[in-house]
Amino acid sequence: MTGTKHQRHDPTPHLIRPKRRRSKTVRKAWTIAGCILVFLLPALTIGWGIRDLDTGPSGDERVKPPFTLSKGFAVDLQNSQTVEYRSGSKSVDIYELTSDGERFGAITWVEWSFQNGDRGMLMRFTPSESGSYTVTLPIFLASPYTMRHVVYPDGADLTRSRFSDPERLDVQQALPLAAVWLDRADAPTGIPSIAPDLPRPPERRTSTDQPVRNPASAFLSAVEVYALRDNGVLEERRDLSPALAPTEKGLTFTLPVHSGQLVEWWGLFSEAPLIDWDKADPETVELVRVADFDRARKWTLDGPRYITPEGYSPSCPRCFYVNPAQHVGEKWIHVNTGGRLFADFALMALDNAVTTQNDAGYWPITTRSEWLKRDYGIDAGYYDTRWSTDAALFLLAGFKAFGDDVFLQAARRYADFLVDFAARHHFATPSGGTLVYDYGHPDAPQAKTHTSLNHLLTEMNFLYRIAERTGEPRYRAAAERMLKAIEDTVDGWPNADGDLHYAYLVDGQFGLQDYPLLTLKDLRLAQSVLASVHGAPNAAIQKLIDVKTAYLKAHHLPLY
């Protein structure tokens, strides 16, 4: 909402809009949950449904890594994990870098092997000592490519960005300092984006055995250099980022780095078009432009990152925080034509949602919201009901699309947490309804916050959907209590301007400025869900839809 003392950015920034029950009490679950922060996640359990990290060789036992480093550094494999998965497999190797017995840092190397034959790679380098490093990636470009990337006429303004015109990239030409899309001139076209009948990939073979050679289609991120900031925030230092250079030994970059910094790079590779530029419709290409993966939105080992808005701490023009809602993956999982990219990335995002879910069942926000701290005493590491519920809805969509039970089980862990949280953290309405608080924190279990309509609708929609999927009665009962709360308060949501209030406040009043379109989309989805569950539309939901629609029409605002 804008123009109020609660400066909260849009839950789907820059997009085209649309507990595990181990603890006996919520307090105990909160205590466990608050211990996990985003920067700890790479050292914890990283896997597609498997949370135990297999210990690899240590000591003097050397394992040749897929990448190579400048001479003088020893690279020792410290931990290794391979996870087989219905739609592919993922491996995570953690290497320690030493020189003359002195530790210089660590590299986390992640590889995906998808059912359709595509591959993904991600490297994170965390130096503990300053030095100059040359890194060579196991990717060989032997043919001329057509190259595209996003250009920004006005800084990193996503509203004005556009794709560059296609240009020829010769194999000895350094890539621009940007995320690039490469397509080999003789690459095949028209291959479907999903091939569900292909056999599962073989057991993992290292990239040393299978480097990427002359792929038909590739996405290569820029080599990102970040400064580590408080609360899990990364500050982009594009001024320090090196360009990738194709060589006969692979893709190479050299950079000086220092402790307190972090370097990441990732890529996707296919023998079919990642994006079929000639056949994809403009809306599909627009989804790719908006996803960006370059200056306005990042994809990292921790997950999706957005620019940290003012009012969140730390904040700076190029600071990025983790938003666990998986907005890009949620959009792309519904794209079934136009290239291999969409299914590949959706699986990576689903993996990330499973990996970053904490033991309590939700996804903590590591940044500090200054207004949440000021008004409600809620510090960094808090629970945001909207973003966590968005992530859980994405997991349900992933189960439907790919049939992997790990996604459903992760969604159930969140549903268990949400039901318990809603039972203890809500405003009661006359008929027994629950207006669930928007936020919570393990260190402030008694904190009361407002209840926004869009949060409550999203929680209700999720619980109805997972109840329908699992047959679990407590999920539907919790959703019914949320619906009852909306029915009990339906006359309080319209405001004097003809719009809807944003939230039910802790003083029992309604107030704050609503989003222009987000809540209407949530209401429409709720009506669709309720028509399916109850066999008829809901009168209270329809009244709120009518109020919001009339307001938008009166102000000549879009309805979709």
Side-chain angles (χ1 to χ4, degrees):
M1 67 207 110
T2 59
T4 73
K5 67 177 182 179
H6 296 289
Q7 293 297 321
R8 153 140 201 191
H9 60 297
D10 195 304
T12 54
H14 308 303
L15 278 177
I16 303 171
R17 298 261 191 245
K19 70 190 165 176
R20 210 169 317 192
R21 301 187 62 217
R22 297 176 177 173
S23 57
K24 296 183 179 180
T25 67
V26 169
R27 180 185 295 273
K28 185 175 179 182
W30 278 119
T31 302
I32 296 171
C35 297
I36 301 179
L37 294 177
V38 166
F39 277 123
L40 295 179
L41 291 170
L44 292 173
T45 53
I46 304 175
W48 290 3
I50 297 180
R51 294 177 178 261
D52 296 324
L53 192 65
D54 300 326
T55 302
S58 58
D60 293 330
E61 185 177 355
R62 300 287 170 83
V63 175
K64 186 177 180 181
F67 54 87
T68 59
L69 284 176
S70 25
K71 292 181 180 180
F73 292 101
V75 182
D76 296 317
L77 180 64
Q78 298 297 304
N79 292 288
S80 182
Q81 180 190 39
T82 301
V83 180
E84 292 297 328
Y85 180 66
R86 177 172 179 174
S87 301
S89 63
K90 187 182 82 166
S91 62
V92 181
D93 294 333
I94 300 175
Y95 297 90
E96 184 178 66
L97 278 58
T98 58
S99 180
D100 296 328
E102 182 180 359
R103 188 179 187 277
F104 269 74
I107 287 180
T108 299
W109 183 265
V110 184
E111 287 204 36
W112 293 268
S113 179
F114 300 107
Q115 186 187 43
N116 59 16
D118 295 353
R119 296 174 62 188
M121 298 178 180
L122 182 148
M123 185 197 76
R124 168 175 281 189
F125 175 29
T126 309
S128 55
E129 298 289 339
S130 300
S132 180
Y133 301 80
T134 297
V135 181
T136 303
L137 304 171
I139 301 155
F140 298 85
L141 306 179
S143 301
Y145 280 82
T146 298
M147 179 177 65
R148 295 172 174 85
H149 59 90
V150 176
V151 294
Y152 306 87
D154 187 15
D157 185 355
L158 187 59
T159 64
R160 300 187 61 193
S161 69
R162 60 174 179 81
F163 273 111
S164 66
D165 293 330
E167 57 185 290
R168 180 186 173 93
L169 174 73
D170 292 320
V171 291
Q172 298 304 316
Q173 175 185 345
L175 277 66
L177 193 56
V180 299
W181 304 88
L182 303 178
D183 294 280
R184 207 174 65 225
D186 62 348
T189 60
I191 295 178
S193 56
I194 301 176
D197 296 330
L198 288 178
R200 289 182 60 177
E203 294 295 324
R204 181 203 175 203
R205 290 172 287 182
T206 67
S207 288
T208 305
D209 297 329
Q210 287 187 309
V212 175
R213 295 189 182 277
N214 215 30
S217 187
F219 167 81
L220 303 172
S221 80
V223 178
E224 300 282 11
V225 179
Y226 298 105
L228 304 179
R229 302 288 295 270
D230 294 337
N231 298 336
V233 171
L234 298 179
E235 181 180 2
E236 179 199 64
R237 292 297 308 273
R238 186 56 69 90
D239 57 307
L240 302 178
S241 293
L244 284 167
T247 72
E248 61 182 12
K249 295 181 179 180
L251 281 179
T252 298
F253 62 90
T254 302
L255 74 167
V257 293
H258 306 276
S259 60
Q261 292 181 346
L262 180 151
V263 180
E264 276 201 356
W265 166 88
W266 68 282
L268 280 169
F269 310 93
S270 180
E271 290 307 312
L274 285 173
I275 303 174
D276 196 337
W277 300 97
D278 294 330
K279 296 183 179 180
D281 61 72
E283 290 184 1
T284 299
V285 176
E286 178 70 357
L287 284 174
V288 179
R289 182 196 67 80
V290 172
D292 188 67
F293 297 143
D294 195 358
R295 305 307 310 280
R297 194 194 313 272
K298 307 288 188 181
W299 176 256
T300 67
L301 183 62
D302 309 311
R305 288 181 177 269
Y306 301 149
I307 294 175
T308 307
E310 294 182 6
Y312 286 66
S313 178
S315 178
C316 70
R318 302 306 300 159
C319 283
F320 290 80
Y321 76 105
V322 174
N323 186 314
Q326 303 292 349
H327 296 128
V328 174
E330 194 282 328
K331 286 287 184 184
W332 286 11
I333 200 171
H334 303 291
V335 180
N336 295 316
T337 60
R340 289 274 185 86
L341 167 70
F342 306 101
D344 290 352
F345 183 80
L347 284 164
M348 292 169 59
L350 288 162
D351 161 43
N352 182 256
V354 172
T355 298
T356 56
Q357 185 181 31
N358 67 13
D359 283 344
Y362 69 99
W363 292 264
I365 310 301
T366 63
T367 49
R368 181 169 71 189
S369 164
E370 296 299 341
W371 67 264
L372 279 179
K373 178 66 174 175
R374 180 186 67 243
D375 291 1
Y376 303 133
I378 292 177
D379 211 333
Y382 60 91
Y383 166 50
D384 180 312
T385 58
R386 174 76 200 222
W387 286 338
S388 278
T389 307
D390 281 344
L393 281 165
F394 175 52
L395 286 166
L396 276 183
F399 175 73
K400 181 178 180 181
F402 300 107
D404 289 279
D405 189 62
V406 62
F407 304 145
L408 181 60
Q409 294 311 311
R412 290 196 69 153
R413 286 194 293 274
Y414 176 69
D416 290 339
F417 173 82
L418 176 58
V419 169
D420 290 343
F421 179 86
R424 292 167 172 80
H425 302 277
H426 68 268
F427 303 103
T429 63
S431 300
T434 55
L435 292 168
V436 182
Y437 303 160
D438 276 10
Y439 304 99
H441 197 288
D443 295 337
Q446 304 307 315
K448 295 182 178 181
T449 79
H450 62 262
T451 300
S452 63
L453 185 55
N454 80 81
H455 281 230
L456 190 66
L457 288 164
T458 302
E459 297 153 32
M460 181 186 78
N461 292 337
F462 165 71
L463 288 172
Y464 273 127
R465 283 182 162 182
I466 196 167
E468 192 171 25
R469 173 65 66 180
T470 64
E472 176 59 55
R474 66 194 299 257
Y475 300 159
R476 175 159 177 166
E480 296 281 305
R481 289 190 289 272
M482 295 175 188
L483 177 61
K484 181 57 66 176
I486 294 172
E487 291 174 334
D488 285 350
T489 59
V490 64
D491 293 331
W493 291 104
N495 65 21
D497 296 329
D499 196 5
L500 297 177
H501 289 295
Y502 177 78
Y504 180 87
L505 308 177
V506 293
D507 63 2
Q509 302 297 311
F510 293 85
L512 307 180
Q513 181 181 336
D514 194 27
Y515 296 119
L517 190 55
L518 179 68
T519 304
L520 178 58
K521 291 191 172 184
D522 295 330
L523 285 164
R524 288 170 174 158
L525 178 58
Q527 194 67 294
S528 174
V529 171
L530 290 168
S532 173
V533 171
H534 291 163
N538 180 272
I541 297 296
Q542 191 58 50
K543 179 175 180 177
L544 297 176
I545 290 174
D546 293 342
V547 170
K548 190 70 176 182
T549 300
Y551 174 82
L552 294 175
K553 286 182 177 179
H555 290 78
H556 307 290
L557 296 172
L559 300 178
Y560 290 91

